[in-house]
């Protein structure tokens, strides 16, 4: 077990003039790391800096300029870690009036973003994945799918380009003959994309169900017995995509965009064949989401052999003590490196006192 864990660790993070941090060094260890602090002490900012390091974007603001500490010209984030016994180093700099610049190296060789470690973030918005907007679920599935099969990202981009063109024609209310060309293009690429989405969804679903079943078989989180997910492709089941696009042409003209297609793909969480959103409490929903992220770690290792770094923001919110203690036990069994944040206070501390193998960082 430990041999595997040593393969990957994010070990040092240095923040300079980033958000509220002036000049801070954080040290992490393999396994579970817990960042504790009061509200507003910068816990989420640490996770944000890691997403900028690995992926070049922030989940909090469109422009990374917003992350520069008030009154300063630039921020610098740097980090070190190990991956399969090699050292990696990351550095990102952003100043007020220049583009973000990044260096990512494995054993001194440059690597592209996304090539080192797959970052999985569980943020407040993910907790709405069960009852929330389809975008949340779509984004979640796409992120994993594109990581496992990068070629699908290219197909998706081609599809999105054709979609944009068709939408432009619809908005301008161009004659049907001009729209027809893009309708065919969207239909062809869309069908190919949809079949790939569904193929991946089946693998995802299998892994998700197995994981949840393993957990409920242990006699914990019994409220999730009978959990499943079902796929909807983004247009009528019985129709060919092209037929569906032609049938909704008048509606699409009125809307000014294409209302059917794999860009509307979605999936639903079901509990004993009924919509799970109406049956689970907030805390139960959170447990389900956390477990589904844990099941992704198994899936990704299995499909891609990729190392995943799991970041969970505000672990204890919405959870009572028993569920918190139980999910922590599940988290500690995972072989990946995990970084959790939590608000200082009784719930979290009571659950954590009896756990030994984790590192604590106090802000």
């Amino acid at each position: 077990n430990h041999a595997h864990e040593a393969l990957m660790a994010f070990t040092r993070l240095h923040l300079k003039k980033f958000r509220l941090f002036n000049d801070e060094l954080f040290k992490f260890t393999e396994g579970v790391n817990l960042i504790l602090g009061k509200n507003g002490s910068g816990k989420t900012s640490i996770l944000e800096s890691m997403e900028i390091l690995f992926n070049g974007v922030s989940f909090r603001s469109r422009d990374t300029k917003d992350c520069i500490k008030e009154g300063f010209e630039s921020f610098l984030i740097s980090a070190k870690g190990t991956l399969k016994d090699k050292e990696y180093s990351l550095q990102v700099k952003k100043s007020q009036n220049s583009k973000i610049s990044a260096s990512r190296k494995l054993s001194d060789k440059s690597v592209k973003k996304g090539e080192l470690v797959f970052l999985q973030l569980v943020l407040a918005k993910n907790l709405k994945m069960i009852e929330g907007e389809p975008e949340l679920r779509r984004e979640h599935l796409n992120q994993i799918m594109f990581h496992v099969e990068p070629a699908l990202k290219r197909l998706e981009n081609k599809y999105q380009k054709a979609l944009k063109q068709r939408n432009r024609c619809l908005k301008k209310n161009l004659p049907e003959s001009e729209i027809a060309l893009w309708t065919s293009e969207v239909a062809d690429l869309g069908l190919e994309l949809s079949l790939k989405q569904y193929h991946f969804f089946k693998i995802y679903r299998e892994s998700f169900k197995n994981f949840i079943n393993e957990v409920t078989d242990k006699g914990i989180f019994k409220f999730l017995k009978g959990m499943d997910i079902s796929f909807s492709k983004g247009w009528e089941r019985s129709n060919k995509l092209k037929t569906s696009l032609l049938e909704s042409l008048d509606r699409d003209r009125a809307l000014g965009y294409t209302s059917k297609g794999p860009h509307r793909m979605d999936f639903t969480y079901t509990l004993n064949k009924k919509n799970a959103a109406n049956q689970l409490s907030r805390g139960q929903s959170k447990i389900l989401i956390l477990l589904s992220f844990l099941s992704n770690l198994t899936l990704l290792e299995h499909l891609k052999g990729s190392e995943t770094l799991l970041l969970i923001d505000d672990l204890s919110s919405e959870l009572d003590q028993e569920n918190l203690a139980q999910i922590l036990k599940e988290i500690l069994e995972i072989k990946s490196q995990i970084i959790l944040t939590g608000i200082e206070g009784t719930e979290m501390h009571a659950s954590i006192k009896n756990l030994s193998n984790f590192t604590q960082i106090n802000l």
Side-chain angles (χ1 to χ4, degrees), residues 56-71:
V57 290
S58 153
F59 54 77
R60 260 173 153 178
S61 48
R62 281 228 137 114
D63 191 345
T64 47
K65 196 163 70 180
D66 300 344
C67 304
I68 301 171
K69 189 175 164 76
E70 195 73 35

Side-chain angles (χ1 to χ4, degrees), residues 201-212:
F201 173 81
K202 285 194 292 193
I203 297 168
Y204 177 85
R205 174 185 178 225
E206 177 84 359
S207 160
F208 168 80
K209 281 182 71 172
N210 287 344
F211 194 86
I212 300 287

Side-chain angles (χ1 to χ4, degrees), residues 149-190:
E149 303 183 41
L152 277 185
K153 180 75 184 132
R154 293 191 283 281
L155 176 59
E156 157 96 2
N157 289 343
K158 272 162 74 177
Y159 172 76
Q160 289 292 348
K161 272 186 188 145
L163 193 60
K164 225 180 182 154
Q165 293 292 353
R166 185 176 193 264
N167 290 347
R168 195 180 53 89
C169 296
L170 291 165
K171 262 197 197 77
K172 289 187 167 174
N173 211 355
L174 296 180
E176 202 166 322
S177 56
E178 291 194 44
I179 300 177
L181 174 76
W182 293 112
T183 299
S184 296
E185 187 81 352
V186 166
D188 292 346
L189 289 166

Side-chain angles (χ1 to χ4, degrees), residues 7-254:
L7 283 178
M8 184 204 88
F10 178 82
T11 51
R12 293 165 73 88
L13 174 68
H14 192 179
L15 301 179
K16 275 182 149 164
K17 312 291 181 267
F18 183 84
R19 293 282 187 194
L20 52 83
F21 297 107
N22 188 41
D23 188 345
E24 289 282 343
L25 178 68
F26 300 102
K27 293 182 179 168
F28 299 93
T29 56
E30 58 187 55
V32 177
N33 297 264
L34 175 67
I35 303 168
L36 282 177
K38 293 187 175 63
N39 263 327
S41 58
K43 300 182 299 292
T44 309
S45 299
I46 295 177
L47 304 188
E48 178 188 27
S49 75
M50 291 172 66
E51 194 188 20
I52 293 172
L53 268 182
F54 283 101
N55 300 329
V57 290
S58 153
F59 54 77
R60 260 173 153 178
S61 48
R62 281 228 137 114
D63 191 345
T64 47
K65 196 163 70 180
D66 300 344
C67 304
I68 301 171
K69 189 175 164 76
E70 195 73 35
F72 290 92
E73 270 309 295
S74 62
F75 71 67
L76 181 70
I77 315 170
S78 53
K80 281 190 166 29
T82 54
L83 180 64
K84 300 188 167 50
D85 299 330
K86 292 177 181 160
E87 286 253 319
Y88 67 78
S89 64
L90 308 165
Q91 188 172 330
V92 172
K93 187 178 179 176
K94 168 76 181 166
S95 56
Q96 293 286 0
N97 40 23
S98 66
K99 279 171 80 162
I100 195 163
S101 71
S103 136
R104 299 179 178 89
K105 292 186 166 161
L106 182 62
S107 301
D108 294 326
K109 287 192 183 70
S110 283
V111 288
K112 289 196 191 77
K113 62 181 176 195
E115 278 185 342
L116 279 170
V117 170
F118 183 66
L119 215 54
Q120 255 209 133
L121 285 147
V122 188
L123 304 164
K125 67 168 191 176
N126 299 104
L127 300 181
K128 299 191 181 73
M129 233 163 67
I130 296 166
E131 78 285 3
E133 297 299 306
E135 278 81 43
L136 287 168
R137 294 178 289 277
R138 204 161 32 239
E139 209 179 274
H140 176 71
L141 197 64
N142 279 342
Q143 195 200 10
I144 300 167
M145 184 166 74
F146 296 152
H147 176 67
V148 174
E149 303 183 41
L152 277 185
K153 180 75 184 132
R154 293 191 283 281
L155 176 59
E156 157 96 2
N157 289 343
K158 272 162 74 177
Y159 172 76
Q160 289 292 348
K161 272 186 188 145
L163 193 60
K164 225 180 182 154
Q165 293 292 353
R166 185 176 193 264
N167 290 347
R168 195 180 53 89
C169 296
L170 291 165
K171 262 197 197 77
K172 289 187 167 174
N173 211 355
L174 296 180
E176 202 166 322
S177 56
E178 291 194 44
I179 300 177
L181 174 76
W182 293 112
T183 299
S184 296
E185 187 81 352
V186 166
D188 292 346
L189 289 166
L191 181 63
E192 189 187 347
L193 179 61
S194 183
L195 290 168
K196 297 255 165 64
Q197 284 174 337
Y198 183 57
H199 175 73
F200 184 79
F201 173 81
K202 285 194 292 193
I203 297 168
Y204 177 85
R205 174 185 178 225
E206 177 84 359
S207 160
F208 168 80
K209 281 182 71 172
N210 287 344
F211 194 86
I212 300 287
N213 289 339
E214 269 171 41
V215 169
T216 55
D217 285 349
K218 283 193 267 190
I220 52 173
F221 304 135
K222 289 202 201 75
F223 53 84
L224 294 178
K225 256 199 179 333
M227 197 65 224
D228 203 348
I229 43 179
S230 67
F231 184 80
S232 75
K233 58 183 181 173
W235 71 94
E236 304 80 8
R237 258 209 159 124
S238 52
N239 260 352
K240 288 203 166 82
L241 179 53
K242 186 148 192 192
T243 314
S244 185
L245 290 170
L246 293 171
E247 283 177 3
S248 54
L249 183 61
D250 291 340
R251 181 165 174 255
D252 287 358
R253 271 189 199 278

Side-chain angles (χ1 to χ4, degrees), residues 313-348:
D313 198 21
D314 200 4
L315 178 72
S316 55
S317 79
E318 316 259 356
L319 295 182
D320 60 40
Q321 202 146 337
E322 190 190 341
N323 279 337
L324 181 62
Q326 206 58 69
I327 197 75
L328 272 165
K329 253 173 87 175
E330 292 303 305
I331 287 170
L332 285 168
E333 282 179 23
I334 295 290
K335 291 196 194 82
S336 300
Q337 188 180 20
I338 298 177
I339 297 174
L340 313 169
T341 72
I343 293 165
E344 275 173 340
T346 49
E347 292 279 318
M348 199 71 171

